[in-house]
Amino acid sequence: MEKGNTQGEKKTEEASVRVVTQQAPVRRQQPETIDLKELFFMLLGHWRMILLATLAGAALLGAYCTFFLEPSYQTDASIYITSTDSVISISDLQLSAALTEDYAKIIRSRTVLNKVIDELNLDMNYKALRNLLSIENPDSTHIVEITVTCSDPELSRDIANALVNIGVNQIYQVIGSSMPTVIDFSTAESVEEVSTGLASWLVRGGLLGAVLVCGLLVMWSLMDTSLKTDEDIKRYLGLPVLSSVPYHKDF
């Protein structure tokens, strides 16, 4: 009976050893707080990857700006809305101020835009032409400012001047009181390039590439729960490290 008990105890110990050796590898629990210092040094250790992503992003957006993005040119013209009578009363000025917004809507109307398209023989419809326009009325003024932005500097100037001429006539036909006065026609000197420069696209691309890679690295670091160093074992398991096997990489 004693031999049987001894053999049974040995089998039990062997089974327990097998159970211990077949346990899953220990994994750390996710920390409750994020160690910013640890994340900083982790990103610093991947500086080559971040630098490569920065250069790649700058090159991609720089190529997009150079080969695919057309430059934009902007010009403006303006008209003055008031009575042309020799004697102007206060009621005339108040009426002009109240109708200035109506004048701006007339200039943006389908009738005026289609007449501009026919006069300049433009290959677009009135909706596409309307997207090129910006008509504003500065506060406390009787002035209507017409701004045209497109990829052709000469075309932007021609559209602005055509809008002024046709718009003034259309306002007179609709309102019928007096014809607006043209303050400024668009000239070659008034055309300015407003497209974003290459340097700005390079900076945007570099920042976008760096932020994207840093975000992926931080996400990967937070999702990785494996134990890699002696400090990880002490921090997350609270166990002392008795010994470690050094790793030597042959070059």
Side-chain angles (χ1 to χ4, degrees):
M1 293 296 293
E2 293 180 356
K3 292 183 178 180
N5 293 334
T6 304
Q7 292 179 355
E9 292 176 356
K10 290 183 178 179
K11 290 181 179 180
T12 303
E13 292 177 356
E14 291 176 357
S16 62
V17 171
R18 292 194 187 98
V19 171
V20 171
T21 55
Q22 292 178 359
Q23 287 180 347
V26 178
R27 303 183 68 84
R28 73 181 186 189
Q29 296 180 352
Q30 196 71 10
E32 296 180 357
T33 59
I34 299 176
D35 191 346
L36 298 180
K37 183 178 180 181
E38 181 179 354
L39 290 179
F40 172 77
F41 283 105
M42 182 274 298
L43 293 176
L44 189 62
H46 293 84
W47 68 269
R48 291 184 179 87
M49 184 183 300
I50 298 174
L51 178 61
L52 182 61
T54 302
L55 296 177
L60 288 176
L61 286 192
Y64 170 77
C65 175
T66 303
F67 299 106
F68 298 99
L69 192 64
E70 295 182 351
S72 297
Y73 299 91
Q74 187 177 91
T75 187
D76 56 14
S78 57
I79 59 177
Y80 185 73
I81 308 295
T82 188
S83 175
T84 57
D85 298 336
S86 57
V87 179
I88 302 176
S89 63
I90 297 178
S91 61
D92 292 333
L93 292 175
Q94 293 176 345
L95 179 62
S96 298
L99 293 178
T100 302
E101 183 65 26
D102 296 337
Y103 299 151
K105 291 182 180 297
I106 293 175
I107 296 174
R108 292 175 59 90
S109 65
R110 181 172 62 253
T111 301
V112 172
L113 297 181
N114 282 329
K115 288 181 179 180
V116 172
I117 292 174
D118 294 338
E119 180 176 314
L120 300 179
N121 194 22
L122 300 177
D123 186 17
M124 64 178 70
N125 56 25
Y126 74 94
K127 294 181 179 179
L129 179 58
R130 185 178 292 168
N131 292 332
L132 304 179
L133 308 179
S134 174
I135 301 178
E136 298 179 352
N137 169 227
D139 296 336
S140 303
T141 66
H142 303 158
I143 299 174
V144 176
E145 295 180 347
I146 303 171
T147 304
V148 181
T149 305
C150 65
S151 59
D152 189 340
E154 295 183 0
L155 181 60
S156 64
R157 185 176 68 247
D158 294 339
I159 292 175
N161 292 332
L163 278 171
V164 169
N165 292 326
I166 296 174
V168 165
N169 293 327
Q170 187 68 20
I171 289 173
Y172 180 71
Q173 292 178 11
V174 174
I175 305 300
S177 58
S178 60
M179 182 173 291
T181 303
V182 178
I183 300 177
D184 287 320
F185 281 104
S186 176
T187 60
E189 292 79 9
S190 64
V191 180
E192 298 179 352
E193 184 175 357
V194 294
S195 55
T196 306
L198 177 61
S200 178
W201 284 101
L202 292 176
V203 173
R204 292 179 184 179
L207 290 177
L208 181 62
V211 169
L212 180 61
V213 170
C214 289
L216 292 176
L217 288 173
V218 170
M219 185 180 300
W220 169 79
S221 176
L222 295 178
M223 295 178 63
D224 185 14
T225 58
S226 60
L227 301 174
K228 298 182 176 64
T229 63
D230 299 346
E231 288 75 11
D232 291 341
I233 297 176
K234 296 178 182 178
R235 181 186 304 175
Y236 300 108
L237 300 182
L239 298 176
V241 178
L242 301 179
S243 63
S244 61
V245 179
Y247 174 75
H248 178 70
K249 182 178 179 180
D250 295 332
F251 293 92

